[in-house]
Amino acid sequence: MTNTSTSVSIGLKRKDRSVGNQGKGLTFPNYLEVPKLFPTKIWRAIGVITILGYIFECLLLIVLPKYGLALFWGVTIPSLPLLFFVAPGIWRNICPLAHSNQIPRRFNFSLKLNPPKWIYEKGQIVGAVAFFAIVSSRKVIFNTNGAAVSCLLLAIIFSAFLGGFLYKGKSGWCGSICPLLPLQRLYGQTPFVNSPNTHCDPCVACTKNCFDFNPTAAYQSDLYDPSPGWSLSRRLFAGMFPGIIYGYFNLNATGLKEYGLMAICASISAAAFFLLEAAFDSPPAKITTGFGAIAISMFYWFGSPIMLSSIKYLTHVNVGFLKYPIIIIVISLALIWIYRTIRTNRLFLSNASQGAPLSQPIKTAVKNLGENGMCEVGFVDEGATVSIDSGITLLKAFLSAGISIESGCKVGICGADPVAVLSGFDNLGDIGSDEMGTLRRLGFDGKSVRMACCTNIHGSCEVTKDTSKALDVLAQGSEEIDQVDFDAGINSVVVIGNGIAGTNVADHIRRRHPKCQIH
């Protein structure tokens, strides 16, 4: 599988609709290509309601702990995995933690710092450990102590808010250390209902393989990421999850013994996962999908009676007869999910093996199949040259050479990875409309600078991350700029506002003035 290892997200136009029917025919539509179920204002209004409901639950846990515990552990928590499974995008849009995380950004008082390396690279592990600790502590304290659960919930929502205040985008919580993120990524990779993210406007390239940008391709990209630790943490969680569920529902202990028994169950489950992976030498996606389906089926097999008894306690309505219908529905959905996710994996590997970037027309990808020659890419600043297969992206060329480069959405929209092309510009793939719009927003004309993540290489070229070296080419301007007289006395322009209006203003200023600074 090493030849298909990749961290790219794919968005090719194909007739295959195995991923879903929400992306206008795109195989892996990103959030900009998926129709919105509701306007952003409605989602934000719902977010206010969910935050208020979250606070109400915290108060209920203190004032009426029996009712609060029944509502939280008996109804709310059992409902979430099914929502992650069917419509993860809807949850991401209404999640009270996500909305609290985005409050500093929405009201423009976030510090917008880059997250430290341990959050960026190990955030999923932190979230998985927190998830295991909370589940293991339920029988020890949280199942019976409403005040303790209330304090836990308040600490979590404050941490989400603090992460949004300190770090840019969702990198301080939702995209990194949230305890629910490992679960959401596992089950949200093939959504039955694909609702686009409404928080990130615009994308700021804050996380790698962003789940909010493209949930379907994000998890596949995780599993085949070139960094072994990145993929391993995802597979480890999927392997441990059935054991965690079995241990919680079937083993009874107190104090430290509870943690020990849970750890043993999780370890046995993970060992079985990696044994199967080694024995059958199958793609990681198949084993993770199988274990994910087993885990959610086990959860509702053991947990549905508890959920139904909690509903009876709260409403005095006997709904016990729904146990087996719920189990049958969940298992049926799990089987369909396995089929759809394996098909998604095959499409991902097929597209990745062609080196096709997101949103590239399929005819271009097919054209590249026959170009099996080697290309030389020279990295001017590093004094290095690498030979690579024709058809891969500039981003992968940088990574192959061991040269670090920031990457974000991987479709050329966020503007994270512009590179100056000093020679061989004609040996690169065509510029798409999304990439061209981003280049113009950044102040480049598309004749000397490209976005590394979505630029395919079809011949030798020389590149550098220092885009200032492209200024001589930029000064010549595109035909559009050449035809416009500009005032050389204007040296600097400040645009107030970072929404679509501000972006368009900056875009048109650059088109009409190739040299002034834009802030």
Side-chain angles (χ1 to χ4, degrees), residues 178-221:
C178 174
L180 295 178
L181 180 61
L183 201 62
Q184 293 177 54
R185 291 184 81 97
L186 175 62
Y187 288 124
Q189 57 180 307
T190 319
F192 290 87
V193 178
N194 196 357
S195 178
N197 159 56
T198 57
H199 292 294
C200 304
D201 183 18
C203 172
V204 293
C206 64
T207 58
K208 181 178 180 180
N209 300 337
C210 178
F211 181 69
D212 287 301
F213 190 89
N214 194 325
T216 307
Y219 196 77
Q220 298 294 329
S221 299

Side-chain angles (χ1 to χ4, degrees), residues 60-104:
L60 187 65
L61 285 163
I62 296 174
V63 178
L64 296 171
K66 289 185 178 180
Y67 286 95
L69 290 169
L71 177 62
F72 185 71
W73 293 123
V75 180
T76 305
I77 293 301
S79 302
L80 290 183
L82 192 58
L83 184 56
F84 299 163
F85 198 54
V86 174
I90 290 179
W91 169 252
R92 301 284 286 185
N93 283 335
I94 68 174
C95 173
L97 302 180
H99 281 278
S100 64
N101 176 255
Q102 292 299 291
I103 285 174

Side-chain angles (χ1 to χ4, degrees), residues 353-365:
S353 67
Q354 298 173 17
L358 187 127
S359 296
Q360 182 192 42
I362 189 65
K363 62 182 181 180
T364 306

Side-chain angles (χ1 to χ4, degrees), residues 82 297 300-301 304-305 307-308 319-334:
L82 192 58
S297 300
Y300 284 98
W301 180 276
S304 58
M307 179 173 66
L308 297 175
V319 290
F321 64 93
L322 293 176
K323 173 185 174 182
Y324 288 106
I326 290 174
I327 292 173
I328 291 172
I329 290 173
V330 170
I331 292 178
S332 300
L333 288 174

Side-chain angles (χ1 to χ4, degrees), residues 381 417-422 439 442 444 448-451 464-474:
D381 293 334
D417 55 2
V419 296
V421 183
L422 303 183
L439 289 171
L442 296 176
F444 304 111
S448 55
V449 176
R450 295 293 301 271
M451 306 307 300
T464 173
K465 291 188 293 182
D466 184 2
T467 55
S468 65
K469 294 186 178 181
L471 290 179
D472 291 339
V473 179
L474 178 63

Side-chain angles (χ1 to χ4, degrees), residues 269-338:
S269 182
F273 176 93
F274 288 109
L275 179 62
L276 289 172
E277 191 175 72
F280 292 98
D281 193 26
S282 64
K286 290 185 178 181
I287 306 295
T288 56
T289 301
F291 270 62
I294 291 171
I296 196 168
S297 300
M298 289 173 57
F299 180 82
Y300 284 98
W301 180 276
F302 295 124
S304 58
I306 299 174
M307 179 173 66
L308 297 175
S309 65
S310 298
I311 294 175
K312 180 180 178 181
Y313 175 75
L314 293 169
T315 64
H316 303 290
V317 177
N318 188 359
V319 290
F321 64 93
L322 293 176
K323 173 185 174 182
Y324 288 106
I326 290 174
I327 292 173
I328 291 172
I329 290 173
V330 170
I331 292 178
S332 300
L333 288 174
L335 292 174
I336 297 171
W337 180 73
I338 290 175

